[in-house]
């Protein structure tokens, strides 16, 4: 079994079929073939997303500028609240770096280890962990 260095969390992640956060199919081969210390660029998308109807009701009657301010403030607040568990996992990984909050889609783009990917995907607040195409954008369509 020379050359295979899979950790238990990565194997459990790949074997699980649950929906409490998923690793995108195009990311899985990179996670399984990477060494434990490898850094993989990912985008973590959260499960929480604003209720579109409620947001439309909230901004009804506002000026364009006021609607924009309200929407941006609401999206940033949602990201701040819902991404707290992700930030807690990242605080335990000193190698996690380059984190950028993508409040418009309620996500975070960063570079992490395969074990951290497994821990992030296991969070019920996480919808997807995707391979980062290099600009804070998912590499493949999901």
């Amino acid at each position: 079994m020379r050359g295979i260095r899979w950790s238990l969390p990565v194997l459990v992640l790949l074997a699980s079929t649950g929906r409490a956060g998923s690793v995108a199919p195009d990311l899985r081969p990179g996670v399984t073939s990477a060494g434990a210390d490898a850094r993989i660029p990912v985008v973590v998308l959260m499960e929480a997303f604003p209720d579109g109807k409620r947001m439309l009701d909230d901004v009804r009657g506002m000026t364009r500028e006021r609607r924009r301010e309200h929407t941006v403030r609401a999206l940033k607040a949602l990201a701040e609240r819902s991404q707290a568990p992700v930030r807690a996992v990242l605080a335990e990984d000193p190698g996690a770096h380059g984190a950028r909050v993508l409040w418009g889609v309620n996500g975070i783009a960063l570079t992490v280890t395969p074990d951290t990917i497994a821990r992030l995907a296991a969070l019920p607040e996480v919808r997807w962990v995707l391979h980062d195409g290099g600009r804070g954008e998912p590499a493949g369509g999901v």
Side-chain angles (χ1 to χ4, degrees):
M1 300 222 99
R2 187 174 172 252
I4 297 179
R5 297 181 205 146
W6 296 348
S7 67
L8 181 59
V10 172
L11 290 174
V12 169
L13 163 76
L14 295 175
S16 72
T17 57
R19 183 65 184 115
S22 296
V23 173
D26 66 330
L27 177 58
R28 289 179 185 186
V31 171
T32 58
S33 65
D37 294 332
R39 301 292 176 205
I40 301 170
V42 297
V43 174
V44 179
L45 294 178
M46 307 306 295
E47 194 66 52
F49 203 75
D51 178 349
K53 182 182 178 335
R54 181 172 178 219
M55 286 193 73
L56 284 173
D57 289 343
D58 289 349
V59 299
R60 186 166 284 121
M62 293 182 185
T63 66
R64 182 177 185 171
E65 182 179 320
R66 185 85 172 92
R67 283 192 311 263
R68 183 183 188 290
E69 289 172 6
H70 177 81
T71 302
V72 169
R73 188 173 46 254
L75 292 174
K76 286 183 176 182
L78 176 65
E80 181 69 26
R81 281 190 316 274
S82 65
Q83 294 174 11
V86 170
R87 287 191 299 276
V89 168
L90 298 179
E92 299 170 4
D93 181 0
H97 61 85
R100 290 184 336 193
V101 174
L102 307 172
W103 53 263
V105 295
N106 198 12
I108 301 175
L110 69 158
T111 304
V112 293
T113 63
D115 284 343
T116 300
I117 290 171
R119 290 196 323 266
L120 291 170
L123 293 172
E125 296 87 357
V126 170
R127 182 174 190 86
W128 284 105
V129 180
L130 308 164
H131 184 260
D132 188 342
R135 297 173 306 281
E137 300 170 2
V142 174

